Amino acid sequence: MWWQSPQDEAAFPPDAVTEFHPVPPPSKAPAAKKSAPGKPLADPGARRRALVGWGSFVAVLLAIGAAGYFGRATVVRLWPPAALFYETVGLPVEPPGTGLQLQNVRSEQKAEDGKTALLVEGQILNVSEAARTVPALRVTALGADRQPLRNWTVEPVPPQILPGEIATFRDVQTDAAGVLEVMITFDGGR
């Protein structure tokens, strides 16, 4: 507590109210470490945690970059506008079916168990100079005025072919009434 006697008794009349404010005792928290003169205060564990944190951050960025690079075909399949980004940075993505050619494709309607069935079959030729993964095919059944009635995918066999080799596909869809035409495209959904 601090106390000073007044210099002039008139300044503090004897009946004046005096307030006393207690001073709290010092806290029992541990005293902060003091560094030696000229040396900064450092926690060796804090530096290690910071390095681990930054290392983890960089590792995650590298993993995302690698996934974006090596999985760019999947990225473009899931989000087609990404193809423009990849092309801009010099990493074009081949569309599904690049280096492959459809041939001997035929479709036919026939009666099966009192219903009209649609048979779709054909071949896929590898016209490139490298082994190619054969993507699934998307078949779209078209009706009057070429309006899509329904679509489905067909898995060719085998799933990968060497240059000059052929994969085949065959599928039968029941209840194909009203189908006048079919459209077949490479789906790339693998």
Side-chain angles (χ1 to χ4, degrees):
M1 179 184 323
W2 177 75
W3 178 260
Q4 178 179 358
S5 359
Q7 300 285 330
D8 183 40
E9 296 256 343
F12 293 96
D15 294 357
V17 177
T18 305
E19 290 185 29
F20 293 94
H21 296 280
V23 176
S27 67
K28 297 189 180 195
K33 294 180 182 178
K34 294 184 180 179
S35 63
K39 289 197 170 192
L41 181 63
D43 176 11
R47 181 170 185 212
R48 185 176 346 182
R49 286 189 300 273
L51 287 174
V52 167
W54 278 108
S56 298
F57 177 72
V58 169
V60 167
L61 285 180
L62 289 174
I64 291 170
Y69 177 79
F70 293 109
R72 61 186 183 266
T74 303
V75 170
V76 169
R77 182 175 50 81
L78 295 173
W79 191 53
L84 179 61
F85 167 75
Y86 283 115
E87 189 173 324
T88 302
V89 297
L91 297 170
V93 178
E94 292 182 336
T98 298
L100 302 174
Q101 180 180 335
L102 291 168
Q103 64 181 24
N104 301 323
V105 176
R106 73 180 195 94
S107 62
E108 171 186 341
Q109 287 189 0
K110 57 183 182 176
E112 256 185 30
D113 298 329
K115 294 185 178 180
T116 304
L118 177 65
L119 166 70
V120 178
E121 63 183 354
Q123 299 175 330
I124 302 167
L125 172 66
N126 182 348
V127 294
S128 74
E129 296 181 9
R132 295 285 179 173
T133 297
V134 183
L137 299 173
R138 174 152 308 274
V139 180
T140 304
L142 304 173
D145 297 327
R146 302 188 93 195
Q147 293 299 312
L149 299 175
R150 66 179 186 176
N151 58 54
W152 64 94
T153 59
V154 177
E155 297 290 331
V157 177
Q160 185 171 17
I161 53 178
L162 297 173
E165 286 187 337
I166 293 175
T168 60
F169 62 94
R170 184 177 200 283
D171 188 62
V172 177
Q173 293 287 311
T174 58
D175 196 21
V179 176
L180 301 177
E181 192 175 355
V182 294
M183 179 174 60
I184 301 173
T185 57
F186 290 107
D187 185 41
R190 281 188 202 229

